[in-house]
Amino acid sequence: MEITWWGHATCTLEDSNVRVLTDPLFARRLAHLRRRRGATPPAEAHHADLALVSHLHADHLHLPSLRALAPGTRLVVPRGASRAVPGLRRLRHLEITEVGPGDRVRAGDVAVRVVPALHDGRRLPVGPHRSPALGYVVEGEARTYFAGDTGLFDGMAEQVGPVDVALLPVGGWGPYLGEGHLDAGRAARALARLAPRAAVPVHYGTYWPIGMDAVRPHEFHAPGDEFVRLAAVAAPQVAVHRLRHGESIRPEVAR
């Protein structure tokens, strides 16, 4: 099993000859955000058997990036996404499946189990809650938890279940994190609850608002290293891999 981090929440998981892509975001710029670190993911990142979208925010459900996916890719989105984001209906080259917590999706020898997340998953900052924010557990030779965007919540370990690897958000794209997010400290606490064999911090150090380079810059640069430090205290039994953009890891897992 191999994991490649392309930046932000975008990863490729290769397990049991199945490629799974998380929250595809291939843009150099998105609205007021600019990619400040790491090259734009190469064309090989556009190819997957399954693409998983955790929630409807534009930096996770990014229509131009989804248009770049290879024809025939199965796109898994939160239930109600096609109604809330009409542009999804025009992606006729993809096979779109809407899911909610408790659902399962299969591709080859891999099963994906849908789990809840604690996050405001609306497409816009205001408006009705039409779709849940989700996490996913990819089960093949390993069990890999992709948290999407989430805060800590009661029963997190029970809902997610036993996992070998956890891909946990540890930061964001602005100088402040609101409710429903994991910063480095909360992510370390989540890691202690989940108790996987390995973890990879994601969702930090990639995008930053234009013109805000001098506003709390440590919130851009520091979360990955801070998570490594805090995880060593909260969950010393977990091997934490802080990847560079475009870097891959084959974590040791046991089934």
Side-chain angles (χ1 to χ4, degrees), residues 228-246:
V228 172
R229 183 181 69 81
L230 295 174
V233 176
Q237 76 282 6
V238 181
V240 178
H241 304 277
R242 189 182 71 79
L243 301 181
R244 297 183 299 273
H245 291 77

Side-chain angles (χ1 to χ4, degrees), residues 6-25:
W6 301 113
H8 203 53
T10 306
C11 300
T12 295
L13 317 179
E14 297 188 58
D15 192 325
S16 305
N17 295 315
V18 175
R19 286 174 62 92
V20 180
L21 182 65
T22 65
D23 285 349
L25 183 56

